[in-house]
Amino acid sequence: MTINADPQELAKFSDLAHRWWDPESEFRPLHQINPLRLDWIDAHARLSGKRVLDVGCGGGILSDSMARRGANVLGIDLASKPLKVAQLHALEAGTASVEYREVAAEALAAEMPAQFDVLTCMEMLEHVPDPSSIVHACAALVKPGGWLFFSTINRNAKAFVFAIVGAEHVLKLLPKGTHEYAKFIRPSELAQWCRNAGIDLCDSRGLEYNPFTRRYWLSGDTSVNYMIACRKPS
Ligand code: SAH
């Protein structure tokens, strides 16, 4: 199986990995959006007691928080350093019921088909050569009736201005080169991949940011950052 990953993308995240849990670092946006996305996921999927897979988990900000809500979480990624940071954080913070593995989503889908109640794949699809293959693997990993959550960045002029010019060049929330415009994903494209993979789109939310108050909130505006919730038919 050829691996669906871009080595330069993985190196970018590995190079910054030691700062993953510093809430004032390059990962500040992930720390800030985490309570918002966690509550939204929990409201849909009721995490407590569920078997959860977090695809592209990085240093484990979302994985760890879902385990703290009572889920049994496996986080997977293909960058080794963020995974080590995630493991170390779980040890230090004493988070039980979270585990991390370096494995591709497609390979895990062959190994553990239909084993997870809930799957999250956040801020990751826009870093992968073939995101539709990830969506397909995710659909295979979830049990019938299970929930899947994806988040990414829309592709249009506003998203270019906010997510690249604004976030990387003006506000410097993210390092330059974090995102590549051509890899952004329109909600219609993501919805098509979900339909092709046999999962139903149930809900969506936009994530908006005010640079003056430095706060994020959920809204109905999916024109820049957005998340979708899907279900695999029972
Ligand atoms: N999902 C986490 C981290 C987002 S950063 C969160 O939202 O908090 C993007 C992550 O995707 C990085 O950890 C990077 O290593 C990972 N990634 C990129 N390409 C990948 C691939 N092909 N397979 C698995 N993980 C990948």
Side-chain angles (χ1 to χ4, degrees):
M1 196 187 288
T2 54
I3 288 202
N4 175 21
D6 178 342
Q8 281 182 336
E9 289 279 2
L10 301 178
K12 235 163 30 186
F13 290 103
S14 273
D15 288 347
L16 299 172
H18 56 288
R19 288 204 285 273
W20 211 288
W21 282 91
D22 174 354
E24 298 306 323
S25 71
E26 295 83 350
F27 298 100
R28 179 185 164 95
L30 293 182
H31 285 279
Q32 281 202 292
I33 64 174
N34 201 56
L36 299 171
R37 62 190 184 179
L38 176 66
D39 282 345
W40 191 65
I41 292 166
D42 202 9
H44 279 299
R46 306 202 174 280
L47 289 167
S48 182
K50 299 282 162 63
R51 181 87 180 107
V52 179
L53 179 67
D54 188 17
V55 175
C57 63
I61 295 172
L62 180 62
S63 305
D64 195 88
S65 67
M66 292 192 291
R68 289 177 174 276
R69 288 272 168 108
N72 187 318
V73 182
L74 174 63
I76 64 169
D77 204 287
L78 287 175
S80 336
K81 281 196 189 158
L83 283 173
K84 290 208 178 90
V85 167
Q87 263 150 359
L88 197 61
H89 181 86
L91 277 176
E92 280 177 355
T95 316
S97 74
V98 65
E99 256 185 89
Y100 296 99
R101 263 183 76 183
E102 187 173 330
V103 61
E106 289 91 342
L108 195 68
E111 183 189 322
M112 302 179 77
Q115 306 248 324
F116 297 91
D117 303 297
V118 181
L119 182 147
T120 54
C121 179
M122 313 300 266
E123 315 301 325
M124 181 267 202
L125 293 172
E126 71 277 14
H127 298 285
V128 168
D130 181 0
S132 68
S133 159
I134 302 285
V135 172
H136 216 269
C138 290
L141 283 154
V142 167
K143 294 177 191 172
W147 284 94
L148 301 98
F149 300 88
F150 297 99
S151 74
T152 188
I153 307 174
N154 204 336
R155 192 175 72 258
N156 54 50
K158 182 179 170 191
F160 178 76
V161 170
F162 279 68
I164 297 188
V165 181
E168 294 183 15
H169 295 263
V170 181
L171 302 172
K172 301 189 177 10
L173 298 172
L174 298 170
K176 289 191 182 103
T178 298
H179 288 117
E180 197 185 316
Y181 177 70
K183 286 170 133 180
F184 289 174
I185 299 165
R186 295 198 177 114
S188 57
E189 293 164 338
L190 185 51
Q192 182 66 51
W193 299 337
C194 289
R195 272 194 296 280
N196 293 347
I199 53 177
D200 301 325
L201 182 62
C202 299
D203 197 6
S204 66
R205 279 285 181 285
L207 268 164
E208 289 190 71
Y209 181 66
N210 180 330
F212 300 106
T213 58
R214 300 177 81 201
R215 293 283 162 241
Y216 289 86
W217 69 97
L218 297 191
S219 79
D221 180 356
T222 57
S223 59
V224 185
N225 292 88
Y226 67 97
M227 319 188 272
I228 65 166
C230 303
R231 263 192 123 161
K232 185 161 168 174
S234 338

